[in-house]
Each structure stands twice: as C-alpha cells, then as structure tokens.
Amino acid sequence: MTTREQISAIQTERDDARQDLRDTLADVNEKVGQAEGEMRPDHIIESHAVGASLIAGALGFLFGSIVNSRGAGPIVIAALLGVAISRHGSNGEG
C-alpha cells in the first residue's frame, strides 16, 4: 500500500468516525429532548394526578401544621389542585 492509499484510507476512516459521532449526538439530543418533555412539572402532574393530589395534601398538612393560621393548609391544597386542574384543562383545549 502506497502512502497516498494509506492517507486516503485514514481520511475515509476519519470521515466515517465523524459521521458516527454526528449520528450519536443527534440520538442523544433526541433522547434528552424527550426526557425534558417528560420531566416538566405540568406533564408530571397530568400523568400522575393521584400522586400530585397526595403530594398537595401532604404539603398542605405540613404547611398547616407549621403555620398558626388554620386556613393556610386548605388554601395550599386548593391552590395546588387548582394549578393541576388548570394545567390539565389548558392542554386539553390547545
């Protein structure tokens, strides 16, 4: 094999490696985009409504036990559930 053939083979191998890297980066970017979409708070609330309600209740209980006002806990529960419902409703319309 001559020097020119070796250089050509090395360049071809380098170009193939660059293309493989581009393909891998494109796949990684796609997977990261999907993971970001699934981890959005409004998406988590929509897909796990019961869990979000339980967390809202726990936060309301915790907040209500810390604050001296008796109305603070139910207000937090209502606010969190209201946000979950409004997010679900706004995505259903669009």
Side-chain angles (χ1 to χ4, degrees):
M1 186 179 269
T2 66
T3 304
R4 287 186 180 199
E5 290 173 341
Q6 288 177 343
I7 291 172
S8 178
I10 290 171
Q11 287 175 341
T12 301
E13 185 176 341
R14 183 195 64 194
D15 292 341
D16 291 343
R18 282 184 178 173
Q19 186 60 43
D20 288 344
L21 179 61
R22 285 187 193 110
D23 293 343
T24 301
L25 288 175
D27 291 342
V28 168
N29 284 335
E30 181 181 341
K31 289 180 182 179
V32 167
Q34 289 174 352
E36 281 180 344
E38 292 174 2
M39 294 304 293
R40 287 189 350 241
D42 57 337
H43 181 72
I44 292 173
I45 290 171
E46 288 174 8
S47 61
H48 304 291
V50 174
S53 298
L54 292 173
I55 291 172
L59 287 174
F61 178 77
L62 179 67
F63 187 70
S65 67
I66 293 172
V67 176
N68 292 333
S69 172
R70 290 195 179 266
I75 289 173
V76 170
I77 292 172
L80 290 173
L81 288 176
V83 168
I85 291 169
S86 68
R87 293 284 184 171
H88 182 68
S90 67
N91 288 343
E93 294 173 5

